[in-house]
Amino acid sequence: MGVHSPYQAPKYYVDKYTGHMWGANKDRKNYAAMMSSMDEGIGNITKTLISEGIYNNTIIVFASDNGANVGYCSDADGNLTPTASVEPGSNYPLRGGKRSIFEGGIKSVSFVHSPLLRGGGRVMKDLVHVVDWFSTFEDIISDGFTVPRKYRFKDRNPLDSISAWRAIKKGANGKRKKFLINIDTRGSIKCGPTMPFKGFRKNQWKLIVGGGGPPSGWYSPYGAPSPARITSSPTSNSSTYCWTPPRRSTWLMPTRR
């Protein structure tokens, strides 16, 4: 369950955002309306879990596969024009977005909720890759039980997945310390990167070879949809849409201070 293009929502939800989202592009309002509709649907599912008496033995996981769509999509001929569609997302203050390997493209929020988790809410800052959910779900299912030998995998190849269940449940340190972000792939769809690039993350350090994008700027969701309006720096107070930094081929950068 999630929101995705095409950005469409019932008028009932769109009207909730028309007033206080003045100046936002139409798709931004529709995107927000889609989120409200989804939120209501999830609330209905949660109420059903409670009424059926299975909520107390349920674990709810929300995760995303990438950052938000940002920047400009090309027209049907692949040209970037002032009338090109503006994607409604924003990862600010993170840089870039979906299809890039800057933090705005690969860092996303997740949460796990369950009455089975004790000790109140907490924030987990360990590295977790999307493939780690496989082993995490395996550990959730078998948590507290010894898996009988006849049910154990006999000839399974080594997995890239690393379980995060102990870190989620008990606040232990996460096991993942590094992962490959990308290797020599080239975008084949509109708005995607036109040059191959690679990326690798170890602890707080990230190495990017080949540029990392586009999109590669800092994007505000409320800016005017015109490629001509570009700020001179990402800290500008101007209400412009995005800032695109000089292109480089290799970056080594910390992801946190």
Side-chain angles (χ1 to χ4, degrees):
M1 178 181 290
V3 298
H4 201 279
S5 60
Y7 307 109
Q8 302 170 347
K11 186 175 183 296
Y12 167 78
Y13 297 102
V14 176
D15 288 345
K16 292 183 176 182
Y17 294 95
T18 305
H20 72 279
M21 291 190 72
W22 181 88
N25 66 67
K26 179 182 177 182
D27 281 345
R28 179 69 177 175
K29 296 174 185 176
N30 288 338
Y31 188 83
M34 292 165 70
M35 291 292 292
S36 288
S37 177
M38 181 186 70
D39 187 58
E40 184 176 307
I42 294 168
N44 293 336
I45 294 173
T46 305
K47 291 176 183 177
T48 302
L49 291 172
I50 295 173
S51 65
E52 293 295 321
I54 56 178
Y55 170 75
N56 289 333
N57 196 37
T58 298
I59 296 174
I60 300 172
V61 177
F62 270 74
S64 178
D65 55 346
N66 48 251
N69 245 348
V70 297
Y72 292 91
C73 277
S74 57
D75 61 19
D77 297 321
N79 301 312
L80 183 63
T81 70
T83 58
S85 63
V86 183
E87 293 296 331
S90 176
N91 303 298
Y92 194 85
L94 300 180
R95 175 182 177 184
K98 181 178 180 179
R99 304 183 186 93
S100 80
I101 58 175
F102 294 107
E103 287 297 273
I106 66 169
K107 185 175 183 177
S108 61
V109 295
S110 302
F111 75 81
V112 180
H113 169 78
S114 176
L116 299 172
L117 297 173
R118 306 299 181 185
R122 61 178 177 271
V123 177
M124 178 179 167
K125 296 184 178 181
D126 301 272
L127 281 179
V128 178
H129 193 281
V130 66
V131 301
D132 294 338
W133 288 116
F134 181 86
S135 293
T136 301
F137 290 144
E138 278 192 326
D139 277 0
I140 289 174
I141 294 170
S142 63
D143 190 25
F145 300 93
T146 301
V147 180
R149 183 176 297 275
K150 65 178 180 179
Y151 293 124
R152 297 175 187 174
F153 292 101
K154 297 179 181 179
D155 301 315
R156 185 165 73 176
N157 292 327
L159 297 175
D160 292 324
S161 183
I162 300 174
S163 175
W165 182 231
R166 289 187 70 252
I168 293 171
K169 183 180 180 182
K170 300 181 179 180
N173 292 330
K175 296 180 180 180
R176 180 172 289 283
K177 305 300 180 185
K178 60 185 179 180
F179 58 81
L180 178 69
I181 302 172
N182 197 63
I183 182 166
D184 260 356
T185 55
R186 183 187 299 268
S188 59
I189 53 177
K190 66 177 184 177
C191 309
T194 56
M195 298 295 291
F197 49 70
K198 312 168 188 177
F200 184 80
R201 169 79 180 266
K202 184 174 182 180
N203 297 321
Q204 79 271 27
W205 290 97
K206 183 198 291 190
L207 174 67
I208 294 177
V209 178
S216 58
W218 285 263
Y219 301 84
S220 163
Y222 300 114
S226 169
R229 300 189 65 188
I230 302 177
T231 65
S232 59
S233 73
T235 57
S236 171
N237 292 323
S238 174
S239 60
T240 51
Y241 187 70
C242 72
W243 176 78
T244 302
R247 176 172 293 186
R248 297 182 183 177
S249 60
T250 303
W251 308 74
L252 178 63
M253 60 189 79
T255 57
R256 61 176 184 269
R257 294 179 179 177

